[in-house]
Amino acid sequence: MSLLVVGSVAFDCLESPYGKVERALGGAATYFAVAASHFTHVNLVAIVGDDFTSKDAEIFRGRTIDIEGLERATGKTFFWSGRYSENLNERITLVTDLNVFADFKPKLPEKYRRSKHVFLANIAPDLQRDVLQQVTNRPKIVALDTMNYWIERTNAELRETLKHVDILMINDFETRQLSSEHNLLRAAKHIFKMGPSTLVVKRGEYGAMMVDKRGVFCVPAFPLEEPHDPTGAGDSFAGGFMGYLASAGKANDAALRRAMVYGSVLGSFAVEKFGLDRLRSLKRNEIHARARHFAKLTQFSL
Ligand code: AMP
């Protein structure tokens, strides 16, 4: 089943203790689409500037990613720059230049409008809502990611968009910031009042936690000896999660739990190299092998 995503396509400047890349292709929608395309067909909605070359667009070619909804405009592509702490657990944003995203008015191609699964990746909340409103029938699942930039600057718009969302997928800092609650279970209760019925908290090296009315489910992060760059791990997690759900065509508890594992699998590959480098070469058999490894990692008897 097809999966629609709107979010940033960007150039990133990344600094981690492992090195620096001045201008890597990135963006939330880019990581998401590449990760999800291992499971299903992805319809991409975003905008790039005239500095985005056909070589940059190669990342989408040869995959099941439709880029009819990738608009090209005069001006510069979204630019973001971030720096990670020594242990990679914290990052500071140095620059966010919205550039062509500042005036983006998305118009969904006709064939995107019937998408049954929608992921509103990190971007302005009113833009996320605008795209959702152009989907003709109520999708089966609408999931959303956001970050401190939007929680701080566009809180009212974000609250409005959240009313139409089933699954909120954010990191632990953002969960605390959005809910004003430190405890994640109490935070989930707050967030359920805003609209979503499921909260997925991405916790970096501590794994991910899903909370819904049935209870809590946790997966660890895959233990890696040398993670290099956490950029895009959250978006790749979301791509694995939503890509799996769209391919499974159901969202019962068992499917959601498997989606958590596939999310963690894709997130773990994303951090192995800088930017999109590891995801570019990733093969489906590697994904399934790591999912089996996850099953082994978490198996025990009582
Ligand atoms: P993640 O590490 O999963 O949080 O996502 C990192 C990606 O998000 C980078 O490739 C950035 O280009 C993109 N990004 C950073 N800040 C923003 C923002 N305010 N809105 C949309 N995308 C952003």
Side-chain angles (χ1 to χ4, degrees):
M1 265 191 250
S2 64
L3 171 57
L4 174 70
V5 59
V6 58
S8 54
V9 170
F11 289 119
D12 295 339
C13 173
L14 310 168
E15 277 179 63
S16 93
Y18 292 93
K20 183 170 177 179
V21 179
E22 292 286 348
R23 195 172 182 270
L25 179 59
T30 314
Y31 282 99
F32 178 90
V34 172
S37 67
H38 286 285
F39 300 88
T40 193
H41 179 95
V42 181
N43 293 326
L44 178 79
V45 179
I47 187 167
V48 289
D50 42 24
D51 51 355
F52 191 88
T53 63
S54 78
K55 186 155 180 12
D56 295 316
E58 264 172 24
I59 187 76
F60 302 119
R61 283 190 210 116
R63 305 178 194 278
T64 54
I65 303 174
D66 191 319
I67 56 167
E68 198 187 317
L70 179 65
E71 195 178 311
R72 282 153 197 284
T74 310
K76 281 187 172 171
T77 299
F78 183 106
F79 178 78
W80 177 78
S81 167
R83 182 190 295 143
Y84 292 89
S85 62
E86 204 57 39
N87 61 10
L88 299 181
N89 283 337
E90 274 119 51
R91 89 171 165 205
I92 49 166
T93 289
L94 303 171
V95 182
T96 304
D97 286 334
L98 297 181
N99 296 330
V100 287
F101 264 103
D103 301 312
F104 183 35
K105 299 268 172 293
K107 189 166 180 323
L108 245 57
E110 198 52 46
K111 60 182 174 191
Y112 284 22
R113 291 175 188 253
R114 288 179 300 277
S115 300
K116 289 273 169 267
H117 294 77
V118 176
F119 186 66
L120 307 172
N122 192 14
I123 201 61
D126 52 358
L127 236 164
Q128 293 174 316
R129 197 165 65 249
D130 189 1
V131 166
L132 185 57
Q133 280 164 351
Q134 294 179 52
V135 178
T136 36
N137 294 321
R138 178 43 168 106
K140 277 187 163 179
I141 298 181
V142 179
L144 178 144
D145 185 13
T146 190
M147 70 184 278
N148 57 346
Y149 185 93
W150 305 111
I151 298 173
E152 287 155 20
R153 289 172 177 73
T154 54
N155 200 275
E157 290 91 331
L158 177 61
R159 297 285 185 120
E160 190 50 43
T161 304
L162 280 173
K163 291 181 187 164
H164 310 280
V165 167
D166 305 301
I167 305 179
L168 177 63
M169 238 181 262
I170 52 181
N171 73 27
D172 36 6
F173 298 108
E174 294 149 0
T175 305
R176 292 182 173 119
Q177 189 179 26
L178 180 64
S179 65
S180 307
E181 270 289 353
H182 185 79
N183 180 284
L184 295 176
L185 294 178
R186 290 169 65 95
K189 284 191 181 156
H190 268 255
I191 285 167
F192 294 158
K193 288 189 196 133
M194 298 176 192
S197 53
T198 301
L199 171 69
V200 174
V201 186
K202 298 168 288 183
R203 310 188 64 206
E205 68 167 317
Y206 307 110
M209 179 171 109
M210 176 171 67
V211 190
D212 63 14
K213 63 176 187 310
R214 288 174 288 233
V216 182
F217 176 69
C218 295
V219 283
F222 191 75
L224 290 172
E225 221 169 284
E226 279 220 334
H228 277 72
D229 168 25
T231 309
D235 311 309
S236 308
F237 178 100
F241 185 103
M242 287 297 285
Y244 171 75
L245 280 187
S247 72
K250 52 189 172 200
N252 56 20
D253 193 45
L256 284 166
R257 284 170 183 242
R258 274 196 293 275
M260 288 286 285
V261 172
Y262 281 110
S264 302
V265 166
L266 270 294
S268 73
F269 280 118
V271 305
E272 283 184 358
K273 289 190 181 168
F274 267 89
L276 283 149
D277 283 358
R278 182 64 181 96
L279 291 190
R280 275 179 202 275
S281 65
L282 188 61
K283 299 277 176 296
R284 216 158 286 185
N285 60 335
E286 295 176 302
I287 294 175
H288 294 301
R290 188 161 288 183
R292 285 193 295 276
H293 206 143
F294 260 92
K296 265 197 186 160
L297 265 180
T298 50
Q299 211 164 37
F300 62 93
S301 55
L302 285 176

